[in-house]
Amino acid sequence: MIIVARKDITADQIDYIRERVEGAGLRTHISIGESRTIIGCIGDEARLANLPLLSIPGVQSVHPVMRPYKLAARGFSADPTTTVRVGDHSFGGPRCLVAAGPCSVEGSPMMFETGRAVAESGASLLRGGAFKPRTSPYSFDGLKEEGLRILSSVRSETGLPVVTEVLDPRDAELVASYADMLQIGARNMQNFSLLREVGQLQRPVLLKRGMSATLKDLLLAAEYVMSRGNMQVVLCERGIRTFGAETRNTFDLAAIPWLKMETHLPVIADPSHAGGRRDLVAPLSYAALAAGADGLIVEVHPDPETAMSDGDQSLTFAEFADLMDSLTVFAEAAGRSM
Amino acid sequence: MIIVARKDITADQIDYIRERVEGAGLRTHISIGESRTIIGCIGDEARLANLPLLSIPGVQSVHPVMRPYKLAARGFSADPTTTVRVGDHSFGGPRCLVAAGPCSVEGSPMMFETGRAVAESGASLLRGGAFKPRTSPYSFDGLKEEGLRILSSVRSETGLPVVTEVLDPRDAELVASYADMLQIGARNMQNFSLLREVGQLQRPVLLKRGMSATLKDLLLAAEYVMSRGNMQVVLCERGIRTFGAETRNTFDLAAIPWLKMETHLPVIADPSHAGGRRDLVAPLSYAALAAGADGLIVEVHPDPETAMSDGDQSLTFAEFADLMDSLTVFAEAAGRSM
Amino acid sequence: MIIVARKDITADQIDYIRERVEGAGLRTHISIGESRTIIGCIGDEARLANLPLLSIPGVQSVHPVMRPYKLAARGFSADPTTTVRVGDHSFGGPRCLVAAGPCSVEGSPMMFETGRAVAESGASLLRGGAFKPRTSPYSFDGLKEEGLRILSSVRSETGLPVVTEVLDPRDAELVASYADMLQIGARNMQNFSLLREVGQLQRPVLLKRGMSATLKDLLLAAEYVMSRGNMQVVLCERGIRTFGAETRNTFDLAAIPWLKMETHLPVIADPSHAGGRRDLVAPLSYAALAAGADGLIVEVHPDPETAMSDGDQSLTFAEFADLMDSLTVFAEAAGRSM
Amino acid sequence: MIIVARKDITADQIDYIRERVEGAGLRTHISIGESRTIIGCIGDEARLANLPLLSIPGVQSVHPVMRPYKLAARGFSADPTTTVRVGDHSFGGPRCLVAAGPCSVEGSPMMFETGRAVAESGASLLRGGAFKPRTSPYSFDGLKEEGLRILSSVRSETGLPVVTEVLDPRDAELVASYADMLQIGARNMQNFSLLREVGQLQRPVLLKRGMSATLKDLLLAAEYVMSRGNMQVVLCERGIRTFGAETRNTFDLAAIPWLKMETHLPVIADPSHAGGRRDLVAPLSYAALAAGADGLIVEVHPDPETAMSDGDQSLTFAEFADLMDSLTVFAEAAGRSM
């Protein structure tokens, strides 16, 4: 950490800072310039996290220089990308994986129908929400355990592993007993109780970026899960909230290559939520693979016009089959396969 | 809800929309213009929430015209402001209330010291976090039940009712057994499990606006709590996340008068988190009261330079006493008292 | 335009609105529901632009239903994409075009060197700023007319048409006398004097999206140019300003397919400004082509470490050659060529 | 400037950086830690502005420590606030000044009527746009010189000095020949040609913050004007563009006290554009004065329902008179007068 002080800082204030920093087990290096004094802090910066340096008179600015995450940082892993295995497939390997299915599990027949269709088109995982976070308390919030049972039956028939969202730490074990991969949704990216809970389970986690989360926040959320012992985390860019009014969210495409440089965890994209419109799903998917994404999660519904949620952004089976066909050239252009 | 269709929509598509809308129990009114067809839907708009109208070919845009919240809407209450009683005080009455205390409960002596000091300066509630949400898994996350016990003892001595954060639905009853008011933090504003849980308790709730929550989102979060039977909700503007780099968050001052027009719930402000800097607390507090806020929540610490969290934005006892003194003229200018 | 009124609107107020709307030459259609009254306005909505409907008591919300731009709208052109010819090349045709060169024209030798290198690697246009907008008044702001002369000489040798920025309406003719395409930078997207000025010249315009411009704002800026008679406008997504801290701007990838659906104008991307980092240029370029962009504008410098501006995001000649090589597969995957 | 390098930076790279930095006339100080090397640069940081340090392999981050503006910085002036005199009044003195008038000068009678009314209610300046920036090329864009003549006649009768916007550097002298204060609008805050032009005139400048401008950007825009010799700049917070949907812009209240600490220039607020709604003007005005603003600029129209622009946010004469009456207590609470 580097502390920049104004010219008018007193020797006593510098001494005070030095004592506090050294008291936390770091060394200091003081450099006095014409108009600024710089106090370099050498050692484990995390120990200074609670030190309110800015409120010391004379301190102008404070610059952290260490990454606040360790397990999620690129350097933690010998391989550039950790592979996260789900069923017979691995996120982060040569193949780009696609999870597909409806926003909500609405019932058994539609899930079987969807499972068969997306499996046939080449999806690697089945998605579907049994517990649904809804902005309004009056909206449909999922079939809960019945939904989980349906997902599990569809897996038995199709062989597709299941990824589904967990909303409440009390449900984590229940969801893990049915699902192959636990999704943490955007609204829960900083639900630390939930992150700790899934960190104690041995189930891969799909961690979606929060609507106003920086990429460092996202990696710190992953660190929560990993610091509890569960290293199987896949990150997901799904759009952020900005002034942009024409799409549901703003798809932050550069997050994909930035994360690929900064972390060893696999990174996928959710073109359905990012764009919020069926006709944007294909171009956003192409772009995500082109930029190096390890996969996609896509909403598919037997009849989007009757979907109980997110119908506007769900693909029909035929549209999904077309998407899967057209993805191959982009995956190959990026040196991957489908 | 109003559905605007392009000129090229077919009669069949219009019929289909009419059937779907009428099937949901609403009436329709179709108006065919030169370049647009307008389908007005008359009745309970909430029933159309799951209808993916945008994905119907020919539909150009969809305009909800009803408020999605009911219990939180201004019209729900006969009085312009509902009063929410905590201890001997009421949010939403003629007096502006101030909750004060440290970010975290760090131990017993500092809490007693703080409780006495803020009580003497005129605070109405004691704040202090026993369960702390922290961006990094390596930061101090609170004393938990021990912290609650300390808060409770300070209340016994000072008479100050206690407001403290609840993070996990599993802790809601525990926190409610010690605290007079339950705080839902910004990161949990859309933690729907938690909202439902506090909705079932008979404890006033301090609901902070999420970092990327619109004001409609905030009112829908309040609606979650209220729809479970707990009508004692106080809203809190604490700054949103924008491109602004000079302050910790962007204090959305206009949220205060907008909410006062739109809802009957009391509205307070958190100048400490909004500005993130000790020297911004006073001007932001003055502005909040001037704009009609029903109170404030302010961070105060016996020695901010040793605070375990948020030291940079915490006031000393002397600074808090000065703030309380200087608030009176602003409260009175706004037709209120302190 | 649709006007939604509250139940308590009076008959007089409805009459007043009807008179005002009909006075502007539109017809009205009034539909009275249980809790809302809807006033549909049929005809040329633009005539209502100055009518302050929201300030009429009883009016709850106002919903424009027409696009505010006409010449820039998709429907204005018989072809899905208008081609904009610059030199021997056309934006919007089967080939994706790349404009390349330094941020600033720093002198003659470096421009000749760059021009030859980028031509050899397959660039279609030479970029370089002679007039530079700089956030600080103390930064280098370009060689001005001398820079234009250098650009023109490099064109003579390499055959590359030149695109360069115009900042001041007083310089528009001068710049047009040297350049093949006039760039309007992000900071000037709503400099309406400048837009009108380039609208009167017969030179293709490269219009960059403003940092806080919605896509509708961008199309209205294009409409300014087009409404003065210059229909040769190419749009450019170059990143917007959001809370995102890890990249220079937030690259709004979805803007590309959204614009391709909404307008007939060609759309390109600027991966250099969007990411602000050399190592992000390639993945952002791949993604832009995958999403349907008609081309790119890329910063290239003989020695980025000595560049007078934007060195961090400029490619070396070797890196640019590699980029051009690797783009081909992505262009082809998107059904285009390089 | 502080350069933080990764452990793997080579000695050659460090030497290279040292040479470049010292070549620019600064001294360096190198501190090698266990996991980071820190290169402190001592001297005039502005000379490093063009050095692309981030693109040097091994460099992890770069931290400027000097303010990029000098003339606008607080320390440049002996007084905490510079006073800017317009007519008989001064921005930055003990009185809070209010500029009032319509968005657009629509004609002579309405301007005379407005001028008399706002003068009588206590306004210190008359505002009114003769050159109007409009998002659409089809909207009314002002009466131009005729508008300026009208403003000037109203000044003759009422004694109110006139503030009006200049859009085009070619019009700066013309506008200055009629107006007492030149307004630079939000869209032109980074129109550097225009800033330089008004920097050469001896007329006070009202500089509005751009919709996506940080406060540092705003101060750098002021620096443009001041560096040309015109030190009479008044800053104006008028709302920024964020995800917030309920108000026209997001009023960044904390900008006022932050600017008052950081610069000696007077700071005013524009509650009309910030909120975009008539009923928000009063509470935003109260808050601005409470937070320390030196004045306000408010839209007032004889008949807002017939205004040619911004009618929804314009006050009637009666509403403006009420506002002026009610402002006094807030100004006095803040230690000022009206």
Side-chain angles (χ1 to χ4, degrees), chain A residues 276-292:
Chain A
R277 275 172 58 157
R278 196 180 297 173
D279 48 12
L280 288 173
V281 171
L284 268 52
S285 298
Y286 303 158
L289 294 196

Side-chain angles (χ1 to χ4, degrees), chain D:
Chain D
M1 184 170 287
I2 296 161
I3 303 165
V4 178
R6 286 195 300 267
K7 211 176 164 175
D8 61 3
I9 193 166
T10 64
D12 279 2
Q13 286 166 337
I14 294 180
D15 284 349
Y16 174 81
I17 293 172
R18 191 161 49 190
E19 278 164 33
R20 294 295 307 273
V21 170
E22 294 180 355
L26 290 85
R27 283 177 298 124
T28 55
H29 184 283
I30 312 226
S31 153
I32 299 183
E34 277 153 67
S35 62
R36 291 290 182 282
T37 292
I38 308 292
I39 304 163
C41 308
I42 304 154
D44 182 6
E45 196 169 291
R47 297 187 190 172
L48 303 181
N50 295 326
L51 207 53
L53 295 158
L54 275 178
S55 56
I56 296 174
V59 171
Q60 180 192 294
S61 58
V62 173
H63 306 266
V65 300
M66 310 285 278
R67 287 181 176 81
Y69 37 85
K70 300 185 191 311
L71 307 174
R74 180 71 173 269
F76 181 75
S77 168
D79 298 314
T81 307
T82 291
T83 54
V84 174
R85 189 162 193 85
V86 184
D88 296 337
H89 308 292
S90 291
F91 285 99
R95 256 189 83 203
C96 296
L97 304 188
V98 177
C103 177
S104 306
V105 177
E106 296 169 12
S108 190
M110 64 79 74
M111 280 310 302
F112 273 94
E113 214 186 323
T114 306
R116 285 175 208 130
V118 302
E120 198 175 329
S121 296
S124 295
L125 293 93
L126 178 67
R127 65 151 288 158
F131 295 90
K132 298 297 306 169
R134 301 304 300 267
T135 303
S136 163
Y138 307 120
S139 300
F140 171 64
D141 66 350
L143 296 180
K144 316 218 168 56
E145 189 165 1
E146 188 197 334
L148 296 174
R149 271 192 295 263
I150 294 170
L151 285 165
S152 176
S153 316
V154 179
R155 173 182 47 204
S156 302
E157 190 193 299
T158 61
L160 290 177
V162 161
V163 54
T164 194
E165 183 165 356
V166 54
L167 287 180
D168 188 314
R170 294 169 296 193
D171 298 327
E173 285 200 37
L174 176 74
V175 177
S177 72
Y178 287 98
D180 302 280
M181 186 176 208
L182 304 174
Q183 179 178 316
I184 302 291
R187 289 182 186 79
N188 281 311
M189 194 204 81
Q190 292 194 319
N191 181 337
F192 302 122
S193 301
L194 186 59
L195 295 176
R196 283 202 197 92
E197 201 71 30
V198 301
Q200 284 160 350
L201 298 171
Q202 286 311 316
R203 274 276 173 273
V205 172
L206 177 58
L207 179 64
K208 291 188 141 190
R209 181 182 183 184
M211 274 192 273
S212 58
T214 64
L215 296 174
K216 287 203 177 71
D217 290 342
L218 173 59
L219 289 175
L220 278 165
E223 190 88 3
Y224 259 93
V225 178
M226 299 170 86
S227 66
R228 290 291 166 126
N230 185 349
M231 310 301 274
Q232 307 166 72
V233 179
V234 174
L235 307 173
C236 182
E237 163 62 30
R238 48 75 75 201
I240 55 173
R241 191 167 264 191
T242 73
F243 67 84
E246 285 88 3
T247 51
R248 182 170 173 180
N249 291 291
T250 296
F251 183 44
D252 182 10
L253 185 279
I256 298 169
W258 190 93
L259 286 169
K260 297 293 290 179
M261 292 189 284
E262 189 69 14
T263 179
H264 55 93
L265 299 173
V267 179
I268 70 169
D270 176 344
S272 308
H273 284 87
R277 273 172 58 159
R278 197 180 297 173
D279 48 12
L280 288 174
V281 172
L284 269 51
S285 298
Y286 303 157
L289 294 196
D294 296 300
L296 300 168
I297 180 163
V298 178
E299 289 188 343
V300 177
H301 192 280
D303 181 13
E305 291 173 21
T306 65
M308 299 183 79
S309 48
D310 281 356
D312 286 324
Q313 67 199 36
S314 296
L315 301 185
T316 62
F317 297 161
E319 287 164 341
F320 180 68
D322 284 351
L323 175 69
M324 290 300 288
D325 279 350
S326 57
L327 284 175
T328 308
V329 282
F330 293 100
E332 288 174 355
R336 310 290 282 270
S337 65
M338 285 302 296

Side-chain angles (χ1 to χ4, degrees), chain A residues 289-311:
Chain A
L289 294 196
D294 295 300
L296 300 168
I297 180 163
V298 177
E299 289 188 342
V300 178
H301 192 280
D303 181 13
E305 291 173 20
T306 64
M308 298 184 80
S309 49
D310 282 355

Side-chain angles (χ1 to χ4, degrees), chain C residues 47-313:
Chain C
R47 297 187 189 172
L48 302 181
N50 295 325
L51 209 52
L53 295 157
L54 275 177
S55 55
I56 297 174
V59 170
Q60 180 192 296
S61 58
V62 173
H63 306 265
V65 301
M66 310 285 277
R67 287 180 176 83
Y69 37 85
K70 299 185 192 311
L71 308 175
R74 180 71 174 269
F76 181 76
S77 168
D79 298 312
T81 307
T82 292
T83 54
V84 174
R85 189 162 193 85
V86 185
D88 296 337
H89 308 292
S90 290
F91 285 98
R95 254 190 82 202
C96 295
L97 303 188
V98 177
C103 178
S104 305
V105 177
E106 297 169 11
S108 191
M110 64 81 73
M111 281 310 301
F112 272 94
E113 212 186 325
T114 306
R116 285 176 208 129
V118 302
E120 197 175 330
S121 297
S124 295
L125 293 94
L126 179 66
R127 64 152 288 157
F131 294 91
K132 298 298 306 169
R134 300 305 299 267
T135 303
S136 163
Y138 307 120
S139 299
F140 171 66
D141 66 349
L143 295 180
K144 318 220 168 56
E145 190 166 1
E146 189 197 333
L148 296 174
R149 270 193 294 265
I150 294 170
L151 285 165
S152 177
S153 316
V154 178
R155 172 182 47 205
S156 301
E157 191 193 298
T158 61
L160 290 177
V162 161
V163 54
T164 195
E165 185 164 355
V166 54
L167 288 181
D168 188 316
R170 293 170 296 193
D171 298 326
E173 285 201 36
L174 175 74
V175 177
S177 72
Y178 287 99
D180 301 280
M181 186 175 208
L182 303 174
Q183 178 178 317
I184 303 290
R187 289 182 185 79
N188 282 312
M189 194 204 82
Q190 292 194 319
N191 181 337
F192 303 122
S193 302
L194 186 60
L195 294 176
R196 284 202 197 92
E197 201 70 32
V198 301
Q200 284 161 350
L201 298 171
Q202 285 312 315
R203 275 277 173 274
V205 173
L206 177 59
L207 180 63
K208 291 188 141 190
R209 181 181 183 185
M211 274 192 273
S212 58
T214 64
L215 297 173
K216 286 202 178 71
D217 290 341
L218 174 60
L219 290 175
L220 278 165
E223 191 88 3
Y224 259 92
V225 177
M226 299 170 86
S227 66
R228 289 291 165 125
N230 185 350
M231 310 301 273
Q232 307 167 74
V233 179
V234 175
L235 306 172
C236 181
E237 163 63 30
R238 46 78 71 204
I240 55 173
R241 191 168 263 191
T242 72
F243 67 84
E246 285 89 4
T247 51
R248 179 169 175 182
N249 291 291
T250 297
F251 183 45
D252 182 10
L253 185 279
I256 298 168
W258 190 92
L259 286 168
K260 298 294 289 180
M261 292 188 285
E262 190 69 13
T263 180
H264 55 93
L265 299 172
V267 180
I268 71 168
D270 175 345
S272 308
H273 284 86
R277 273 172 58 158
R278 197 180 298 173
D279 49 12
L280 288 173
V281 171
L284 269 51
S285 298
Y286 304 158
L289 294 196
D294 296 300
L296 300 168
I297 180 163
V298 178
E299 290 189 342
V300 177
H301 193 280
D303 181 12
E305 290 173 22
T306 64
M308 299 184 78
S309 49
D310 281 356
D312 285 325
Q313 67 197 37

Side-chain angles (χ1 to χ4, degrees), chain A residues 120-166:
Chain A
E120 198 176 330
S121 295
S124 296
L125 294 92
L126 179 68
R127 63 152 289 157
F131 295 91
K132 298 297 306 169
R134 300 305 300 267
T135 303
S136 163
Y138 308 120
S139 299
F140 171 66
D141 66 349
L143 296 180
K144 319 225 165 52
E145 190 166 1
E146 188 197 334
L148 296 173
R149 272 192 294 265
I150 294 170
L151 285 165
S152 176
S153 317
V154 179
R155 173 181 46 204
S156 302
E157 191 194 297
T158 61
L160 290 177
V162 161
V163 54
T164 194
E165 183 163 356
V166 55

Side-chain angles (χ1 to χ4, degrees), chain A residues 27-201:
Chain A
R27 284 178 297 125
T28 55
H29 184 284
I30 312 229
S31 153
I32 300 182
E34 277 154 66
S35 61
R36 291 289 181 283
T37 292
I38 309 292
I39 304 163
C41 309
I42 304 154
D44 182 4
E45 197 168 290
R47 298 188 190 171
L48 303 180
N50 295 325
L51 207 53
L53 295 158
L54 274 177
S55 56
I56 297 175
V59 171
Q60 181 192 293
S61 58
V62 173
H63 306 265
V65 299
M66 311 284 279
R67 286 182 176 82
Y69 36 86
K70 301 185 191 310
L71 307 174
R74 180 69 174 270
F76 181 76
S77 167
D79 298 313
T81 307
T82 293
T83 54
V84 174
R85 189 161 194 86
V86 185
D88 296 337
H89 308 293
S90 292
F91 285 99
R95 255 189 84 202
C96 296
L97 303 188
V98 177
C103 177
S104 305
V105 177
E106 297 169 11
S108 190
M110 64 79 74
M111 280 311 301
F112 273 94
E113 216 187 321
T114 306
R116 285 175 209 129
V118 302
E120 198 176 330
S121 295
S124 296
L125 294 92
L126 179 68
R127 63 152 289 157
F131 295 91
K132 298 297 306 169
R134 300 305 300 267
T135 303
S136 163
Y138 308 120
S139 299
F140 171 66
D141 66 349
L143 296 180
K144 319 225 165 52
E145 190 166 1
E146 188 197 334
L148 296 173
R149 272 192 294 265
I150 294 170
L151 285 165
S152 176
S153 317
V154 179
R155 173 181 46 204
S156 302
E157 191 194 297
T158 61
L160 290 177
V162 161
V163 54
T164 194
E165 183 163 356
V166 55
L167 288 181
D168 189 316
R170 295 169 295 193
D171 298 327
E173 285 200 36
L174 176 74
V175 177
S177 73
Y178 288 99
D180 302 280
M181 187 175 207
L182 304 174
Q183 179 178 316
I184 303 291
R187 289 181 185 79
N188 282 312
M189 193 204 82
Q190 293 195 318
N191 182 337
F192 302 122
S193 302
L194 186 60
L195 295 176
R196 284 202 197 92
E197 201 70 31
V198 301
Q200 283 160 352
L201 298 171

